[in-house]
Amino acid sequence: MKRLLLILCCILAVTSVNSCSNDELTPDNDKDINETPVNPDAPDENPDEPVGPEDPQEPEDPQQPEFQIIRPIFDAQFNDDGTMTDISDSRYHVNTFDGLYMTTWKHPSYGGNLVRFSHSYGETFSDSYHKFNYSMEKDFKNRLSDGYSLEAICMFDDENDGSLEIKAFSSMESGGTGIMISNNSKGKVLTFLTNVSTTGKSNWVWGTSGIVPERGRYYHIIGVWDKEKGEAKVYVDGELKNTVKTYGEFVFPSTPACHWFCIGGDPGATSAQAAWKGDIAMARIYDEPLTEEYIKNYYPTLGINIPKSDFLPENVMYLTTCNIAKGGSFVISGWGFQSSDILIIESDNGSYRAECSCQANEINITATLPEDITDGRYKLIMKRNQDLYPLGKVKFTISESAIELKEAKVIAHRGYHKDGIPENSIEGFKKAQELCVYGSELDVWITLDGVIVCNHDGVMSGKTIQNCNYDEVKDLKLGNGEKLPLFTDVLTELKKSKVTKLILEFKTHNTREKNNLVIDTALKMIDDAGLNDMVEYIAFDYENCKRIAAARPEAMVGYLNGDRKPADLLADGIRSIDYSSGTLASHPEWIKEAQDLGMIVNVWTVNSDNELMKWLGEGVDYITTDNPDNLQAIIKAFCK
Ligand code: MG
């Protein structure tokens, strides 16, 4: 038999767990795995060696039936140094993608380590997660294919508007499985998701639990796929919550690039997705469907008793990468702080720990950094009375004198298009003006007969705008009922309010003539409207940028394509590097290079609060975002 059994007497298991609160949650975790005589290929235990109830050292209680703990084939242990180890007998290799949004900490009631993830809600992210890659683990795949179970303990620490799926422990991509919180369409509930099909094509089986997780509460979840019975089941805190009938074979993620379990999110081919926010204390995989009877007996042996964290500050934000002076002040903004709250900073390797002198009110803590602090990464731990609450990590660069955080200008990407307002709409442009952001970006195309219209994509409702006369596209409607906006209507709105600039993107047309025509036509219209000082220009096509810069040497022109150094652009009169966050992350030196040349640096498109704060900390001049209102709030909180 393949599965590994550790035979224990139930009464002993319960007694040992309950007598030691520090071991309550993870009775298996603290054992030295090497002491456990297990061999996956051993057909039977040595008949001469008494085990469990027959062991003379452990007399049997006649009242209790024998209870066998089933060993997982993957069992996450979160180490003090921030890494993760599989402590099951499989000892699968795990990669830790270290980062500022993952903090390993010892929960006083849990006894063991757990991991706090401080990503932005549901975001795609490139670090701060653990990865168990099974793409080359044939044996592991076989063990899952005939039925399996997942087990996790997790705590969700955020407001959940249900707009996104959030994944704690997951391996999904058009196939796969995991433990997650569903989005609104499935009720925002704790869910075991598996993919089982009779055709080989992806078929999601939703093991929804009906439980909307309370913020700060720890839940124990088991998801089971029983191939033989044709059932998926989900258990929360030891109770069966749902059974879904499903027949067929398990479908793995559609691409081998996603054949990995993410602890703290969900795999993408090149990054991680659907970020968890909150704690994960356990992540286990079993190669068999655990039965209801088993779980009923097993759950009490865990002795789970982690109190709900009832003082979690909300919307915690701070600059994760921060240039700061010795003795300077560091602000953490949020909601629900108290005047007695203290900030503790602890170096990543634990060698330095200090309580900061703090001033706190409901919406922020201002901490004065100690004089002896040096460059490096630190855990930020909030202390209230005797309770500790890790907020996340920060990277400090310490200098002699105070550095003021530069206030980046806010550019609304394709206008303000939240709350059902379409991109590139007049309504979105007006809304950006109402917010008084620095700029509102819009994309333009020219029709065959020379009319300029606003749209991001070149094709709308099957019509290629640049190959149509205006008559053919004029009745196309946006989601809010607006007609395809005319550029001239944008200029009319621009004229009414002289606060928000138009950041005009010329899309790349299929001939040089059209590219030239759209630029020349737009520039003349802007000139005629007397709006030269209210428009800045951007384009991916380098020739387009050069043409605008030649015609309007005084105007700010930005090149978008990310493949040229700042000095090269400036030589052609292009005064802004307007590059994606990925490009600038690969070439951080271009920020200072450009600014030293008197150029402007814009980064696009940055949306999550964490990323917005990161780029604010990098000192860029403009940030283009789909969340201009969030960026304004962040700037207000952190830039003096
Ligand atoms: Mg654009």
Side-chain angles (χ1 to χ4, degrees):
M1 192 155 87
K2 208 164 49 169
R3 78 185 189 198
L4 309 173
L5 303 179
L6 178 66
I7 301 175
L8 291 174
C9 175
C10 178
I11 186 77
L12 286 175
V14 174
T15 306
S16 71
V17 164
N18 288 343
S19 64
C20 177
S21 66
N22 280 359
D23 292 334
E24 276 175 351
L25 263 175
T26 53
D28 293 343
N29 281 13
D30 294 327
K31 288 183 167 56
D32 182 350
I33 203 90
N34 295 320
E35 289 175 5
T36 309
V38 280
N39 173 356
D41 300 314
D44 287 300
E45 289 82 12
N46 183 348
D48 299 333
E49 191 179 305
V51 289
E54 289 163 28
D55 189 329
Q57 303 300 313
E58 298 176 355
E60 186 183 2
D61 180 339
Q63 302 301 311
Q64 297 294 330
E66 183 184 274
F67 178 62
Q68 300 174 334
I69 293 280
I70 297 173
R71 301 282 308 220
I73 59 164
F74 176 86
D75 189 358
Q77 173 180 276
F78 305 111
N79 304 315
D80 289 340
D81 65 0
T83 61
M84 201 207 97
T85 308
D86 169 25
I87 57 163
S88 79
D89 302 305
S90 321
R91 299 293 178 123
Y92 287 119
H93 180 70
V94 177
N95 289 103
T96 295
F97 288 76
D98 192 22
L100 295 169
Y101 308 109
M102 177 166 77
T103 309
T104 303
W105 68 298
K106 197 178 269 299
H107 191 296
S109 302
Y110 180 84
N113 285 340
L114 33 73
V115 186
R116 172 146 304 166
F117 294 94
S118 48
H119 297 290
S120 295
Y121 170 80
E123 73 177 325
T124 295
F125 52 105
S126 55
D127 61 37
S128 308
Y129 62 95
H130 298 295
K131 174 177 184 173
F132 161 38
N133 185 344
Y134 60 82
S135 60
M136 306 296 280
E137 303 284 357
K138 263 192 179 165
D139 181 52
F140 176 80
K141 292 183 191 179
N142 287 338
R143 292 164 101 179
L144 244 55
S145 298
D146 58 355
Y148 68 89
S149 305
L150 303 182
E151 179 183 16
I153 293 174
C154 44
M155 180 275 274
F156 180 61
D157 173 19
D158 206 351
E159 295 305 305
N160 187 3
D161 65 9
S163 58
L164 298 170
E165 293 176 344
I166 310 138
K167 303 191 182 172
F169 173 39
S170 174
S171 177
M172 302 180 197
E173 181 68 42
S174 304
T177 186
I179 288 172
M180 60 182 284
I181 302 174
S182 67
N183 66 16
N184 274 326
S185 71
K186 300 283 179 189
K188 301 193 287 188
V189 294
L190 294 170
T191 298
F192 164 62
L193 191 61
T194 184
N195 202 300
V196 176
S197 164
T198 50
T199 63
K201 289 184 181 162
S202 169
N203 174 47
W204 291 114
V205 180
W206 289 85
T208 50
S209 70
I211 292 176
V212 178
E214 275 177 64
R215 184 163 180 253
R217 188 185 182 292
Y218 290 82
Y219 294 88
H220 175 264
I221 304 149
I222 292 183
V224 176
W225 172 53
D226 189 326
K227 183 182 177 186
E228 224 171 271
K229 289 187 180 161
E231 287 175 347
K233 289 175 183 273
V234 61
Y235 299 80
V236 178
D237 295 339
E239 278 182 32
L240 176 63
K241 295 296 178 188
N242 196 4
T243 303
V244 186
K245 282 283 169 198
T246 177
Y247 294 96
E249 302 292 327
F250 181 65
V251 181
F252 282 93
S254 56
T255 160
C258 293
H259 284 194
W260 53 282
F261 272 90
C262 182
I263 290 95
D266 186 48
T270 56
S271 57
Q273 303 166 343
W276 188 255
K277 189 169 181 188
D279 290 351
I280 295 179
M282 179 189 282
R284 291 176 177 167
I285 304 169
Y286 297 83
D287 72 345
E288 62 184 285
L290 301 178
T291 65
E292 188 170 359
E293 181 68 14
Y294 175 81
I295 293 167
K296 201 173 82 187
N297 289 317
Y298 166 67
Y299 179 71
T301 69
L302 293 170
I304 295 174
N305 181 26
I306 315 182
K308 184 182 171 193
S309 300
D310 56 4
F311 67 101
L312 307 179
E314 294 173 38
N315 298 327
V316 171
M317 291 195 293
Y318 58 87
L319 295 167
T320 46
T321 305
C322 191
N323 292 303
I324 196 161
K326 277 184 183 170
S329 46
F330 179 67
V331 178
I332 295 176
S333 99
W335 181 255
F337 296 115
Q338 291 181 3
S339 59
S340 59
D341 289 344
I342 300 280
L343 185 72
I344 296 171
I345 54 172
E346 184 182 299
S347 63
D348 227 5
N349 61 11
S351 63
Y352 177 91
R353 185 180 168 100
E355 275 195 18
C356 300
S357 153
C358 291
Q359 284 198 316
N361 57 36
E362 252 186 337
I363 58 167
N364 62 47
I365 300 180
T366 304
T368 304
L369 295 187
E371 290 286 341
D372 60 349
I373 191 170
T374 53
D375 287 3
R377 287 191 357 177
Y378 294 85
K379 292 178 185 172
L380 301 174
I381 302 162
M382 190 180 99
K383 183 178 167 192
R384 177 172 299 172
N385 305 320
Q386 289 314 305
D387 292 329
L388 300 176
Y389 178 85
L391 299 169
K393 289 184 188 172
V394 64
K395 185 178 165 197
F396 285 131
T397 306
I398 309 294
S399 63
E400 288 304 319
S401 55
I403 296 168
E404 274 191 32
L405 189 63
K406 191 167 157 182
E407 186 174 325
K409 292 185 164 63
V410 181
I411 313 291
H413 182 230
R414 305 178 194 170
Y416 178 94
H417 57 86
K418 293 164 81 169
D419 315 320
I421 301 173
E423 298 175 356
N424 284 300
S425 63
I426 299 293
E427 187 186 2
F429 185 75
K430 283 158 79 168
K431 179 76 184 181
Q433 287 178 314
E434 279 169 32
L435 284 176
C436 296
V437 292
Y438 177 80
S440 182
E441 189 251 5
L442 283 177
D443 308 292
V444 292
W445 295 94
I446 195 161
T447 61
L448 271 184
D449 51 349
V451 179
I452 302 178
V453 296
C454 306
N455 203 52
H456 178 264
D457 296 345
V459 180
M460 192 175 175
S461 302
K463 297 188 171 172
T464 303
I465 296 170
Q466 62 178 310
N467 295 342
C468 292
N469 284 319
Y470 178 62
D471 249 11
E472 298 170 69
V473 294
K474 72 176 174 36
D475 294 325
L476 294 177
K477 293 268 173 57
L478 307 187
N480 61 349
E482 269 181 45
K483 282 187 178 179
L484 180 64
L486 284 164
F487 180 56
T488 184
D489 293 339
V490 176
L491 294 182
T492 303
E493 295 305 323
L494 188 61
K495 214 167 183 176
K496 287 181 193 164
S497 161
K498 292 286 185 83
V499 176
T500 298
K501 294 196 182 199
L502 171 65
I503 311 298
L504 180 59
E505 179 179 344
F506 291 106
K507 302 309 285 187
T508 308
H509 292 63
N510 56 13
T511 66
R512 183 53 54 201
E513 289 68 31
K514 283 181 189 171
N515 282 312
N516 291 346
L517 184 65
V518 68
I519 289 168
D520 297 348
T521 308
L523 291 183
K524 180 164 189 316
M525 289 167 75
I526 292 162
D527 208 14
D528 290 349
L531 288 168
N532 277 324
D533 58 340
M534 286 301 294
V535 186
E536 298 184 7
Y537 304 90
I538 54 176
F540 276 93
D541 181 90
Y542 197 67
E543 292 305 313
N544 283 352
C545 287
K546 285 206 296 189
R547 188 175 187 89
I548 308 160
R552 292 282 183 280
E554 73 290 352
M556 187 57 66
V557 180
Y559 176 58
L560 296 166
N561 208 35
D563 54 354
R564 289 170 190 252
K565 290 178 188 165
D568 296 347
L569 301 185
L570 193 60
D572 285 322
I574 298 162
R575 295 195 287 129
S576 163
I577 63 164
D578 196 322
Y579 289 170
S580 71
S581 54
T583 299
L584 283 183
S586 309
H587 291 284
E589 74 282 3
W590 283 355
I591 298 172
K592 188 166 184 305
E593 259 177 61
Q595 289 172 337
D596 285 349
L597 290 167
M599 297 172 75
I600 291 291
V601 179
N602 177 47
V603 60
W604 52 268
T605 300
V606 181
N607 290 332
S608 77
D609 289 348
N610 282 339
E611 284 288 296
L612 289 168
M613 285 188 287
K614 168 188 150 73
W615 288 104
L616 214 48
E618 295 288 348
V620 295
D621 301 283
Y622 299 179
I623 298 176
T624 298
T625 175
D626 293 327
N627 289 318
D629 43 352
N630 297 17
L631 178 53
Q632 281 183 317
I634 290 168
I635 287 171
K636 200 172 160 197
F638 295 101
C639 303
K640 297 273 158 58

